[in-house]
Amino acid sequence: MNIVILGSGNVATHFAHNFHNKGHKILQIFSQQKVNAQALAFAVNAEAISNVSEINKEADLYMIVIPDHAIPSLIETISTAISGIVVHCSGATDIQVLSKFQHYGVLYPPQSISKNDQSDFSLIPFCIEGNDSITFNILMKLMATVAPKSIACSSSQRLAIHIASVFANNFTNALFQISYDLLQQYDLPFDIIRPIILETAQKVQSKLPSQVQTGPAVRNDEITIKKHLNFISEHDDWKQIYQLLSQEIVKRKS
């Protein structure tokens, strides 16, 4: 398949390399910063462009791989004369933002992807959506070459996955940082809790979170909870987070 990628960041880089390595032709890499487009284009033997008017109109697929807030404005500048399928890769953006095109869809990876880290697409269940059955089937066939675990998802299902990922990934990482800061305050290394973090992550690979919940809240141990809250009393935000999450655990257990 002949592909134009609009974007040169983390996710765009991984898409470009994965498709290129599977024999798909990356025709162009677009970025408003030409130097960024050139760096990625060189790696996948593509043309670097920095003006939307330069987009090849004969590609099979046009991938919009940029921050969510920038998607609508970029779409406005893309000509409807292009012949291929136009997709975005956002979890929180509805498919209808692309409705000006004849064929459009979504290729969303529910995964935190960094440019300099390896990301095995074959392990990621990409969320696929198309504006009609023909478009959907083409996108599924394409993704089968790089991500065979891909699944069909509506825009509402994709948004649910995106929110769930924020809870499971972004929020837990913020809690890791609070844990790190607390340990640092008492001259303790973060390494001391890495094993329990890993243990919990491993448990939920085969069991439901509710089945492996531990801690004072699930035991309704009010004495320990009060002791914890008193210990972190100088951090009002930590106390609020601790209390809210403890209440959620108690509520689910009752």
Side-chain angles (χ1 to χ4, degrees):
M1 184 171 279
N2 293 324
I3 302 171
V4 171
I5 297 180
L6 296 99
S8 59
N10 294 338
V11 181
T13 296
H14 282 278
F15 266 117
H17 283 288
N18 274 273
F19 283 135
H20 176 71
N21 291 341
K22 290 297 182 179
H24 299 285
K25 175 63 177 176
I26 310 300
L27 297 178
Q28 296 174 318
I29 301 292
F30 163 83
S31 176
Q32 291 181 333
Q33 302 298 320
K34 187 70 172 284
V35 65
N36 294 336
Q38 289 172 329
L40 180 54
F42 178 79
V44 296
N45 194 30
E47 176 190 8
I49 61 172
S50 58
N51 194 311
V52 174
S53 65
E54 301 175 278
I55 291 177
N56 185 315
K57 293 182 174 59
E58 304 300 321
D60 301 308
L61 180 68
Y62 300 85
M63 300 186 64
I64 299 173
V65 199
I66 58 177
D68 290 10
H69 68 85
I71 292 174
S73 58
L74 178 60
I75 289 171
E76 288 181 5
T77 66
I78 301 174
S79 170
T80 55
I82 58 179
S83 59
I85 300 170
V86 183
V87 301
H88 69 65
C89 304
S90 165
T93 305
D94 195 279
I95 190 175
Q96 291 303 317
V97 73
L98 297 166
S99 61
K100 72 181 248 185
F101 303 105
Q102 184 176 0
H103 305 291
Y104 55 93
V106 181
L107 304 176
Y108 165 60
Q111 180 79 13
S112 180
I113 296 176
S114 299
K115 185 181 294 187
N116 297 321
D117 294 334
Q118 293 295 320
S119 187
D120 188 351
F121 274 23
S122 68
L123 301 177
I124 301 174
F126 278 75
C127 300
I128 314 300
E129 187 174 8
N131 71 301
D132 55 43
S133 60
I134 294 175
T135 301
F136 171 77
N137 289 332
I138 291 172
L139 293 176
M140 282 296 286
K141 184 177 180 179
L142 166 67
M143 292 310 295
T145 65
V146 294
K149 293 187 177 182
S150 297
I151 61 173
C153 272
S154 67
S155 286
S156 57
Q157 289 174 321
R158 183 162 31 84
L159 182 57
I161 292 171
H162 192 261
I163 296 170
S165 299
V166 169
F167 274 104
N169 180 40
N170 305 136
F171 288 170
T172 54
N173 193 63
L175 295 177
F176 294 158
Q177 185 62 48
I178 291 174
S179 299
Y180 172 86
D181 293 341
L182 177 60
L183 292 169
Q184 285 286 294
Q185 186 175 340
Y186 289 90
D187 299 318
L188 291 165
F190 187 64
D191 283 348
I192 203 165
I193 64 168
R194 289 186 195 273
I196 196 171
I197 292 173
L198 181 60
E199 179 188 18
T200 302
Q202 289 174 333
K203 283 180 179 178
V204 297
Q205 300 307 308
S206 58
K207 298 179 180 180
L208 293 176
S210 60
Q211 295 174 322
V212 298
Q213 185 68 61
T214 60
V218 78
R219 299 190 301 268
N220 202 23
D221 183 352
E222 294 184 5
I223 293 176
T224 298
I225 290 174
K226 288 179 180 179
K227 186 180 294 185
H228 287 177
L229 290 171
N230 184 61
F231 192 76
I232 60 173
S233 60
E234 63 186 74
H235 300 282
D236 288 338
D237 49 348
W238 295 2
K239 282 184 61 180
Q240 291 178 33
I241 293 169
Y242 187 107
Q243 289 174 314
L244 185 60
L245 291 178
S246 294
Q247 290 167 7
E248 179 68 17
I249 294 169
V250 170
K251 178 180 68 177
R252 289 182 174 276
K253 201 65 178 178
S254 60

